[in-house]
Amino acid sequence: MNILQARDLTKTYRIDGRHLTVLEDVSLSARHGEFLVVSGASGSGKSTLLSLLSGLDKPSQGRVFIQGKDITDISEDDLAPFRNRVFGFVFQSFHLIPSLSALENVMFPAELANDRDAEKNARDLLERVGLAERGENFPHQLSGGEKQRVAICRALVNRPKIIFADEPTGNLDSENGRSVLELLLDFQQASQTTLVLVTHNPDIAKRADRVVVLADGRLARGADHGA
Ligand SMILES: Nc1ncnc2c1ncn2[C@@H]1O[C@H](COP(=O)(O)OP(=O)(O)OP(=O)(O)O)[C@@H](O)[C@H]1O
Ligand SMILES: [Mg+2]
């Protein structure tokens, strides 16, 4: 069963009265537990695609279904709690909240979901990634690799069904990049989570169940499983 299905997604921006189509007729699906890599040159539309798939942004045309539910037109009020419970996000540049400690950053989505075990789960995750002692530290006191590990804990704290990761190792040296990738893959495999990961790195792509390649806003290959 496809947990994620996108049909004919098109995204057009209007700039100075002109239309710029950055994504065109992209159809894509992902299965439960699948590791899907999205690849393609800079500017080909990878981040745009991720923001449409995750409901952070709306397509100009086309539809997105998550667990069979059409999320394309639902209101932000209805979408936000759904997104918080079903999706986990990892960004290239961490996106931690600077005024919150590492522990508070990880707890944040769990508190939004009224999870009574928010703190315990957050502490467990930080321990798993070797940061048990750093929970009280603020993002500016952490290295890039540490920040990304905190960001991954935050993405995992609500046990998401789908993780969207936009070049999560892009800002890390190769050793930190490897450990961050292993962390994501361990979780993906242990929890049978779907992982949609944007990367240019062929070594990472090699490990994916499937690779789709964007070129100028269109899918060049790997598009679909069918229904
Ligand atoms: N808000 C926006 N307004 C206008 N154009 C945009 C906007 N956001 C993105 N674009 C354009 O859409 C195209 C795709 O951008 P996107 O960020 O999805 O590319 P990408 O594949 O993620 O690139 P990179 O590998 O550099 O991160 C680019 O040409 C970009 O300039
Ligand atoms: Mg991008």
Side-chain angles (χ1 to χ4, degrees):
M1 140 106 173
N2 288 325
I3 189 166
L4 169 70
Q5 187 138 33
R7 273 198 219 137
D8 302 323
L9 292 182
T10 293
K11 182 72 181 177
T12 304
Y13 290 107
R14 236 188 118 138
I15 302 166
D16 298 333
R18 292 222 222 122
H19 290 284
L20 178 68
T21 298
V22 301
L23 217 57
E24 194 168 3
D25 280 337
V26 170
S27 294
L28 179 69
S29 60
R31 286 189 175 139
H32 189 72
E34 187 174 30
F35 173 24
L36 178 68
V37 156
V38 179
S39 193
S42 178
S44 59
K46 304 180 297 295
S47 297
T48 304
L49 177 61
L50 237 56
S51 65
L52 298 183
L53 295 178
S54 59
L56 289 174
D57 198 2
K58 299 276 183 204
S60 310
Q61 279 170 51
R63 312 211 74 80
V64 178
F65 300 85
I66 305 290
Q67 294 176 314
K69 180 184 167 77
D70 188 342
I71 65 161
T72 322
D73 291 328
I74 66 178
S75 71
E76 182 54 31
D77 281 354
D78 291 335
L79 184 58
F82 178 80
R83 198 161 50 205
N84 184 47
R85 276 183 292 105
V86 180
F87 298 160
F89 295 93
V90 184
F91 300 93
Q92 180 164 20
S93 50
F94 324 128
H95 284 216
L96 296 175
I97 300 172
S99 59
L100 298 182
S101 70
L103 179 68
E104 289 165 340
N105 265 284
V106 177
M107 285 169 61
F108 191 65
E111 289 191 314
L112 280 181
N114 292 319
D115 180 351
R116 281 203 263 145
D117 297 325
E119 180 168 348
K120 180 184 182 309
N121 292 341
R123 286 194 190 278
D124 286 351
L125 281 165
L126 284 173
E127 185 169 353
R128 246 169 68 190
V129 305
L131 292 176
E133 311 299 319
R134 310 303 298 272
E136 313 311 318
N137 286 178
F138 289 87
H140 76 270
Q141 298 168 317
L142 301 171
S143 73
E146 289 165 349
K147 277 189 273 213
Q148 196 60 306
R149 280 185 274 157
V150 172
I152 288 174
C153 292
R154 178 183 56 183
L156 301 184
V157 74
N158 284 343
R159 300 173 202 284
K161 298 277 190 290
I162 307 178
I163 301 169
F164 294 101
D166 196 349
E167 302 199 45
T169 61
N171 272 326
L172 302 178
D173 59 52
S174 56
E175 193 181 328
N176 273 304
R178 245 192 316 275
S179 84
V180 155
L181 180 73
E182 295 312 326
L183 204 60
L184 279 170
L185 290 181
D186 281 353
F187 181 85
Q188 179 254 333
Q189 275 153 23
S191 307
Q192 280 300 293
T193 306
T194 302
L195 174 61
V196 182
L197 184 140
V198 170
T199 184
H200 294 287
N201 185 331
D203 291 332
I204 298 180
K206 251 189 263 167
R207 302 182 58 181
D209 295 314
R210 198 157 50 103
V211 179
V212 299
V213 180
L214 276 173
D216 291 331
R218 287 178 160 272
L219 272 188
R221 67 176 166 98
D224 226 331
H225 292 300

